[in-house]
Amino acid sequence: MSENLSKEDFKSGQEVKWCPGCGDYAILSTIQKTLPSLNIPKEDIVFISGIGCAGRLPYYLNTYGFHTIHGRAPAFAAGLKMTRPELSVWIITGDGDALSIGSNHLLHTLRRNIDVKILLINNKIYGLTKGQYSPTSERLTITPTSPQGSIESPVNPIAFALAAGASFVARAIDTDADGLQSILTAAALHKGSAFIEIYQNCYVFNNNAFDHIRNKSLRTENGICLEDGKPLLFGKDLDKGLILEDLTLKVVNVFENNNKNKILIHNSKNEALAYLLSRLVPPHYPIPTGIFKNTEYSNSENQLTTNKDDSLMNTWNDYVMRKTT
Amino acid sequence: MSERDEIKLRQNIVIGLIGDSGDGIQLMGARIAESAACENIDVNTLPVFPAEIRAPAGTLAGVSSYQISLSDSKSYTPGDKLDILVAMNPAALKKGLKYLNDGGLVLINSDSLTEKEWNKAGYKNNPLETIQLSSYRYLDIPITTLTKKAINSIDISISQAIKCKNMFALGLVCWMLSLTLNMIESWLKKKFRKQSEVLSANLLTLHAGFNFAETSELFYEKYKIMSNIMTSSLKTQISGNEAFAMGCLAAAIKSKRPFLLAGYPITPASSLLHFVSNMTASNLHVFQAEDEMAAACSVIGASFGGTLAATVTSGPGFDLKSEAIGLGVMVELPFVIINVQRAGPSTGMPTKPEQSDLLAAVYGRHGECPVPVLAAATPGDCFYTLIEAFKIAIKYMTPVILLSDAHLANATECWEIPEINSVENLIPEFAHEIDNFMPYSRHEKTFSRPWAIPGMKGFEHRIGGLEKENITGNVSYESDNHQLMINIRNKKIERIADDINSINIIGKSSGDILVISWGSTYGSIFSAIKILHERNKSISLVHLRYINPLPKDLEIIVKNFKMIIIPELNSGQLSKIIRERLLINVITYNKVNGMQFSVEEILQFINSIIENTQKV
């Protein structure tokens, strides 16, 4: 067990160089605050990132860190975790990094259920390269490469992760420190891939993209908090809720038509429910935050290689014997 | 003893087995190689598979072949030309005939000599008519019919019965080469231990073939290789890819670290993944990644964790790994990239060898990106070159590119497995100075940086692809620092030359001609040089294992010869490097047709150079 570490122990001392107002500051702070509570020795923690604004995050954490290649952080993490399974391996990625150039690696990491924690920091824009549209940009987003508005449909990160077979899928908001911390803690405890989408405000290139949910006063109206065993209610007075009708989710007034009894109870073991929730987008639906899916199945990194339990020398001797007789 | 039973003693005999890709040719070849090796005969083999897994039966595209050279002493090539050709159908005959020596013997399955079959192979008439007019001798034997007859007592389907015909042919060949059937019998018994009917059918056919040759008056030639090779309990047949696999296992043992081999299936590299996957050690990991890039990146991730790691690829896969190799140069982590070269560009000819990735290996990345480049010379040498590559990688903290090719990957040679105790120690030295640990401080001799891995308390640090500040490793955009780091990275790779053994010159250390070669052409070139030495020609050979950096003494050696000849299976890539680095001119001999050099080709070229100079 590690000695008592504090948030300060996880600051690397490097000057943090994101733009003023960037949501990454809040995320970094919550990570630094969460890590001491996990009881993992600092030297056993590795943060691996790809390219993009978020990719700089490992430089600011006083753990082992590796700022790698655009899109391919999951592949580095796979090699590390496979051969050093005792380490706690975290991936920092962004919407372009994870869902454009690196979508293949993300898909396969999740389907293999490698025991790594993936933090996808989604600001729906390419920040580092000065504001081009990203794979999560909304249709008609005006950017330097889409002056008439992007004509592409955005990819839904939560639905992508679920479709890839991720065993742990969650969504958090950069400025919601408590929400993010509880998700990071659950992810750390999860055995297998944990995928966390974090809405992050890019102050310079896509400011206010998440205002309707980032803003605390609006969050109660526009968001819905997923908590196991609790009814799926939202709204300032918890007057709205989700029910299942015609195989789709529907928003209803809790106090009308005996709806109260029909309100769904959240269950992160229910994959079908997770998928329905992943498709909820404004303006007709609230945006879910919290843990969509949290299931355990044994398909960990050790099983990427087939049942191998022999010693190296035995293997050598057997091989030599086989080759010479 | 009748005249036909007289056994002809031979120093060397080359046999080609050719048939449809479903005929079990590879299996036949492997059994002959094994049986001969068991009698201490030196064996070199070269299997050639069609690019298509199962091209239409009877067509030229569907032909699979296996060439075996048997010698009484150590030999270095699978042979230029065939003494005996076993052709299972007309297409096989067509493919094989051009490699048959004048006066060579053709053994053909006469059941396949139907109009339909010879048309499929592009013959207008029965091909035997052509052979009758040539210098070749032939035996047409109804192999399929005799196979069916041999096993008519066994309850087995017709299609299964026909499948046994390779065993009949194998029996014939074993008789002709004076090889016993023991090895093949025990192999069959193991392979079909759960299928007694199939086992009996195969055993019966094998003996039927052998006995047919023994008793029928058709066979008037029987050969024997009297080996003068010492027996050794560690002798085996090895292909380059299998030697790499044993190298991976040996590297894991000698490093006392976990080992990772990562790749994405690609011809002709994949069999290395297969070999290591079948090794059962818990610390020997194989990762079949989602793509070539992920395979390379996983290896760097593993290396960051202190694991010895290699990625294996070929052709287009090598291009895809370039970016990861560049990162490896920047973060200065040790790993090995094995490139089993194949004919390019693009998809090219995946099953054919070429040495055309040399410049890509030495120069093919963006930025100033120096990487050591080594090449294996023979199948067995793949083992030692891999160990050497790891030694350099961990000592200098650098990725190392190791070149093989489709020839080495599949060809086998007789090889003595090294005693594991004699294999070089690869235990890495991790960072130990915890006070004021600096990830980019330098070892004064090697210029390498310290290797500190997760789990080491007090050494927590961050690395990445952005330019590093000298010593601290912090991100730096400072211009003087960038120049300094460029110089350090270059100098580090140059310093590896201090570790390279002095060059072993084959022949005299001065003279008329020096041949410089690298990679899989060694067998043919070395064999040609031996012949030229017997003819008292003033010629020597330097075969390079290191191409980047070049051995230091090469610069002096070349000055002691009047002419330098560089034969390569590309358009002159080593020649370019030698000209550039040593500022000398060289005579190039280039071939890029997807085929290995034959000894004869090398001899002819060198003789033409000698004749031309004599004229002057």
Side-chain angles (χ1 to χ4, degrees):
Chain A
M1 211 41 60
S2 64
E3 70 259 57
N4 283 333
L5 295 166
S6 69
K7 183 176 177 181
E8 287 304 309
D9 292 314
F10 286 92
K11 293 182 177 171
S12 73
Q14 287 279 294
E15 187 192 345
V16 184
K17 287 181 178 166
W18 288 308
C19 308
C22 174
D24 285 343
Y25 284 97
I27 297 170
L28 173 65
S29 170
T30 303
I31 292 172
Q32 285 166 334
K33 198 171 131 210
T34 308
L35 290 176
S37 70
L38 299 178
N39 268 328
I40 302 168
K42 194 161 61 115
E43 62 273 17
D44 286 349
I45 300 174
V46 185
F47 273 77
I48 299 180
S49 63
I51 299 295
C53 295
R56 305 290 182 98
L57 196 142
Y59 287 120
Y60 310 133
L61 282 172
N62 192 20
T63 63
Y64 280 92
F66 198 169
H67 180 212
T68 67
I69 294 178
H70 201 12
R72 320 214 189 287
F76 289 85
L80 179 63
K81 185 69 186 177
M82 205 183 309
T83 55
R84 296 286 310 277
E86 75 280 13
L87 298 174
S88 172
V89 180
W90 299 71
I91 294 168
I92 303 289
T93 183
D95 38 321
D97 195 54
L99 293 167
S100 193
I101 194 166
S103 50
N104 193 33
H105 307 303
L106 178 62
L107 166 73
H108 292 282
T109 301
L110 294 175
R111 103 182 146 79
R112 291 180 183 126
N113 201 24
I114 300 173
D115 190 6
V116 293
K117 316 302 156 199
I118 302 165
L119 278 56
L120 191 162
I121 297 176
N122 182 9
N123 56 17
K124 302 194 177 184
I125 204 79
Y126 283 137
L128 196 65
T129 50
K130 300 191 176 166
Q132 302 83 357
Y133 64 94
S134 92
T136 54
S137 295
E138 300 299 331
R139 279 178 71 93
L140 304 178
T141 303
I142 290 175
T143 76
T145 47
S146 57
Q148 270 116 39
S150 159
I151 54 168
E152 297 178 11
S153 297
V155 63
N156 177 330
I158 299 288
F160 179 96
L162 289 167
S167 55
F168 181 106
V169 179
R171 180 187 283 143
I173 297 163
D174 53 3
T175 47
D176 175 18
D178 292 345
L180 179 56
Q181 180 165 0
S182 70
I183 289 172
L184 292 178
T185 306
L189 291 170
H190 175 74
K191 286 191 175 59
S193 296
F195 175 86
I196 305 157
E197 178 190 21
I198 306 172
Y199 282 164
Q200 178 251 0
N201 190 50
C202 176
Y203 183 75
V204 176
F205 294 108
N206 203 17
N207 197 19
N208 307 330
F210 301 105
D211 272 2
H212 52 292
I213 176 111
R214 242 177 135 238
N215 187 321
K216 260 191 180 168
S217 59
L218 299 175
R219 192 179 302 160
T220 44
E221 276 309 308
N222 297 328
I224 184 164
C225 201
L226 308 176
E227 283 180 84
D228 266 335
K230 300 244 175 95
L232 291 167
L233 298 174
F234 67 107
K236 203 160 61 197
D237 307 313
L238 293 181
D239 56 337
K240 286 175 276 189
L242 294 172
I243 64 164
L244 188 66
E245 199 174 275
D246 297 334
L247 290 178
T248 53
L249 295 181
K250 196 179 165 193
V251 176
V252 293
N253 187 319
V254 182
F255 305 111
E256 288 171 5
N257 305 333
N258 197 22
N259 283 335
K260 203 174 175 184
N261 297 329
K262 295 191 222 156
I263 301 296
L264 291 165
I265 307 292
H266 185 57
N267 176 6
S268 64
K269 308 275 179 256
N270 184 335
E271 194 164 347
L273 178 61
Y275 193 73
L276 290 171
L277 289 167
S278 77
R279 307 307 302 190
L280 301 187
V281 286
H284 302 298
Y285 288 101
I287 298 171
T289 57
I291 300 168
F292 289 72
K293 180 183 172 189
N294 185 0
T295 55
E296 302 240 327
Y297 61 98
S298 61
N299 179 20
S300 61
E301 71 287 343
N302 291 326
Q303 290 185 323
L304 280 182
T305 52
T306 44
N307 286 331
K308 289 180 157 196
D309 51 10
D310 219 346
S311 79
L312 288 165
M313 266 319 293
N314 279 347
T315 306
W316 174 267
N317 290 334
D318 287 353
Y319 205 88
V320 171
M321 192 131 85
R322 212 160 10 117
K323 283 298 290 174
T324 50
T325 47
Chain B
M1 190 185 261
S2 70
E3 195 190 337
R4 76 163 194 97
D5 283 340
E6 208 173 291
I7 297 174
K8 292 182 184 166
L9 289 181
R10 295 277 297 245
Q11 289 182 310
N12 172 267
I13 195 160
V14 181
I15 175 160
L17 311 169
I18 313 188
D20 242 2
S21 57
D23 279 346
I25 295 293
Q26 303 299 323
L27 189 152
M28 263 172 88
R31 299 290 79 71
I32 294 172
E34 249 173 39
S35 301
C38 196
E39 298 183 21
N40 278 326
I41 296 169
D42 184 82
V43 184
N44 275 270
T45 74
L46 182 66
V48 179
F49 323 98
E52 295 79 10
I53 298 299
R54 285 286 150 88
T59 62
L60 291 167
V63 161
S64 165
S65 75
Y66 200 101
Q67 185 172 326
I68 311 162
S69 162
L70 307 179
S71 303
D72 63 354
S73 57
K74 176 69 186 163
S75 65
Y76 298 88
T77 77
D80 279 9
K81 288 210 137 189
L82 306 174
D83 299 306
I84 301 171
L85 165 65
V86 178
M88 300 299 276
N89 64 17
L93 188 69
K94 188 153 202 180
K95 280 259 174 162
L97 224 41
K98 57 186 168 195
Y99 300 109
L100 191 63
N101 271 323
D102 285 345
L105 176 70
V106 183
L107 208 150
I108 184 157
N109 179 7
S110 58
D111 288 322
S112 71
L113 292 174
T114 61
E115 190 172 353
K116 190 177 151 204
E117 288 296 312
W118 72 58
N119 281 341
K120 266 200 261 179
Y123 283 112
K124 291 202 176 83
N125 304 307
N126 187 338
L128 284 186
E129 291 167 19
T130 331
I131 294 179
Q132 279 157 358
L133 297 173
S134 73
S135 70
Y136 306 127
R137 295 160 303 135
Y138 73 90
L139 289 172
D140 52 332
I141 299 160
I143 292 176
T144 317
T145 312
L146 291 169
T147 298
K148 282 193 257 180
K149 253 189 205 156
I151 50 178
N152 59 8
S153 64
I154 292 180
D155 185 21
I156 185 172
S157 70
I158 294 273
S159 68
Q160 269 183 313
I162 291 173
K163 270 191 186 163
C164 292
K165 68 178 186 289
N166 60 341
M167 284 298 135
F168 193 93
L170 192 53
L172 294 175
V173 173
C174 284
W175 182 86
M176 289 176 75
L177 300 175
S178 310
L179 297 173
T180 64
L181 302 180
N182 307 351
M183 286 288 285
I184 303 167
E185 282 173 4
S186 46
W187 183 86
L188 284 171
K189 280 174 191 159
K190 206 167 152 196
K191 166 124 179 142
F192 297 117
R193 64 184 179 280
K194 286 181 186 151
Q195 297 161 273
S196 60
E197 299 287 280
V198 182
L199 173 63
S200 316
N202 276 284
L203 285 172
L204 274 175
T205 328
L206 177 69
H207 282 276
F210 191 91
N211 295 338
F212 180 82
E214 172 91 15
T215 47
S216 98
E217 297 278 314
L218 287 168
F219 282 77
Y220 44 84
E221 280 176 46
K222 183 167 180 154
Y223 302 97
K224 185 158 179 69
I225 308 279
M226 290 293 283
S227 168
N228 51 30
I229 297 169
M230 298 287 285
T231 52
S232 158
S233 58
L234 290 173
K235 273 268 162 69
T236 189
Q237 281 303 118
I238 197 107
S239 68
N241 278 1
E242 189 171 12
F244 274 142
M246 292 192 76
C248 291
L249 178 54
I253 292 169
K254 302 305 282 195
S255 66
K256 304 202 162 133
R257 298 297 309 165
F259 188 96
L260 172 65
L261 175 71
Y264 182 79
I266 188 165
T267 304
S270 313
S271 66
L272 173 50
L273 293 172
H274 308 171
F275 283 121
V276 181
S277 296
N278 282 303
M279 293 175 171
T280 51
S282 57
N283 250 355
L284 193 64
H285 303 270
V286 180
F287 180 43
Q288 180 179 316
E290 58 271 26
D291 59 35
E292 296 281 358
M293 298 167 286
C297 295
S298 70
V299 156
I300 304 176
S303 175
F304 184 59
T307 294
L308 249 67
T311 179
V312 58
T313 189
S314 180
F318 188 61
D319 297 346
L320 289 167
K321 293 189 195 296
S322 303
E323 187 187 16
I325 298 170
L327 179 74
V329 168
M330 185 59 105
V331 296
E332 303 187 44
L333 282 171
F335 60 98
V336 175
I337 307 98
I338 301 173
N339 177 1
V340 187
Q341 298 167 97
R342 65 190 220 187
S346 190
T347 311
M349 299 192 288
T351 56
K352 305 291 181 193
E354 224 165 78
Q355 298 182 305
S356 47
D357 296 350
L358 182 64
L359 292 177
V362 178
Y363 301 109
R365 291 162 294 282
H366 77 274
E368 295 264 330
C369 196
V371 176
V373 178
L374 280 72
T378 69
D381 189 47
C382 289
F383 177 92
Y384 294 105
T385 325
L386 181 61
I387 299 293
E388 176 98 359
F390 273 115
K391 187 186 89 179
I392 293 299
I394 58 180
K395 181 168 177 185
Y396 290 88
M397 293 291 283
T398 177
V400 175
I401 294 173
L402 173 44
L403 298 174
S404 173
D405 63 35
H407 178 89
L408 291 181
N410 298 316
T412 73
E413 70 170 337
C414 211
W415 185 63
E416 179 146 349
I417 301 174
E419 291 280 359
I420 191 72
N421 294 332
S422 70
V423 177
E424 201 144 359
N425 184 354
L426 293 172
I427 295 175
E429 194 183 320
F430 291 117
H432 44 78
E433 280 175 41
I434 194 158
D435 294 332
N436 201 21
F437 165 70
M438 290 290 166
Y440 276 72
S441 56
R442 298 281 158 190
H443 186 283
E444 57 180 37
K445 259 195 176 154
T446 62
F447 271 27
S448 70
R449 72 173 192 88
W451 195 7
I453 62 172
M456 285 171 60
K457 194 173 173 179
F459 290 91
E460 294 87 351
H461 66 284
R462 277 68 52 195
I463 57 171
L466 289 166
E467 181 59 288
K468 299 280 160 287
E469 184 179 72
N470 186 32
I471 302 172
T472 65
N474 291 335
V475 174
S476 168
Y477 282 60
E478 215 263 312
S479 57
D480 288 347
N481 177 74
H482 180 54
Q483 180 71 61
L484 176 66
M485 295 306 281
I486 291 284
N487 298 350
I488 287 174
R489 286 189 287 261
N490 278 326
K491 189 140 275 167
K492 186 174 85 164
I493 303 309
E494 283 167 19
R495 290 207 165 184
I496 293 171
D498 293 342
D499 270 8
I500 305 177
N501 291 338
S502 56
I503 290 174
N504 170 32
I505 305 173
I506 297 157
K508 296 195 173 119
S509 56
S510 64
D512 292 345
I513 300 174
L514 176 69
V515 176
I516 303 177
S517 56
W518 68 280
S520 71
T521 56
Y522 175 76
S524 301
I525 296 175
F526 177 76
S527 304
I529 297 290
K530 272 205 313 188
I531 293 168
L532 291 164
H533 283 170
E534 282 162 19
R535 296 177 191 165
N536 289 321
K537 300 288 179 197
S538 174
I539 188 165
S540 299
L541 170 65
V542 164
H543 192 81
L544 297 174
R545 172 181 272 183
Y546 278 89
I547 296 153
N548 195 39
L550 286 169
K552 281 181 165 175
D553 46 350
L554 186 61
E555 193 160 6
I556 300 151
I557 291 169
V558 294
K559 291 192 177 129
N560 296 328
F561 292 88
K562 291 178 194 150
M563 269 180 296
I564 310 291
I565 299 177
I566 301 183
E568 291 179 90
L569 300 176
N570 58 43
S571 300
Q573 301 193 9
L574 179 65
S575 301
K576 265 200 178 83
I577 293 172
I578 296 285
R579 283 176 179 140
E580 175 220 322
R581 304 265 170 103
L582 304 185
L583 294 175
I584 56 168
N585 201 6
V586 301
I587 299 165
T588 59
Y589 177 38
N590 304 120
K591 183 170 99 161
V592 207
N593 67 353
M595 302 275 289
Q596 184 54 267
F597 282 126
S598 68
V599 180
E600 191 55 37
E601 282 173 325
I602 301 287
L603 278 176
Q604 276 181 12
F605 182 80
I606 293 174
N607 281 332
S608 72
I609 298 290
I610 292 173
E611 277 164 30
N612 278 340
T613 42
Q614 278 164 353
K615 272 181 216 155
V616 179

